[in-house]
Amino acid sequence: MRANPVCAALLAVRDLSWMALRTDDQNYHFAIGTDLIGIGLGATGILSPATGGLTHIAHTLGILAHSSRLLGFEAPTPRR
């Protein structure tokens, strides 16, 4: 029995949305963690404002790189 192509497309969209949600959750936790560490280091004087700004830019680039993995998403080919 062959699956309807529309159903296969819906499954691909579902898989992509699950990946996007998982990536978003990982990015959120990473951003909150690095921000809290930066706040703690800045409040104690260990991290200067300039270094804190550079650290923030670096972690933002890391989040962008992590999110860019979604651009390479390919729907699985249906089995026959």
Side-chain angles (χ1 to χ4, degrees), residues 6-20 73 75-76:
V6 174
C7 291
L10 287 175
L11 290 175
V13 169
R14 184 200 64 176
D15 291 344
L16 178 59
S17 66
W18 278 109
M19 282 182 60
F73 175 79

Side-chain angles (χ1 to χ4, degrees), residues 4-72:
N4 186 342
V6 174
C7 291
L10 287 175
L11 290 175
V13 169
R14 184 200 64 176
D15 291 344
L16 178 59
S17 66
W18 278 109
M19 282 182 60
L21 286 172
R22 189 171 141 236
T23 301
D24 181 53
D25 191 46
Q26 291 169 346
N27 287 342
Y28 174 77
H29 287 91
F30 178 71
I32 294 297
T34 56
D35 285 344
L36 289 175
I37 291 170
I39 289 169
L41 293 175
T44 58
I46 296 172
L47 192 64
S48 71
T51 308
L54 290 173
T55 304
H56 181 73
I57 291 170
H59 101 254
T60 301
L61 291 174
I63 289 172
L64 287 172
H66 186 253
S67 296
S68 69
R69 295 179 316 129
L70 294 171
L71 295 174

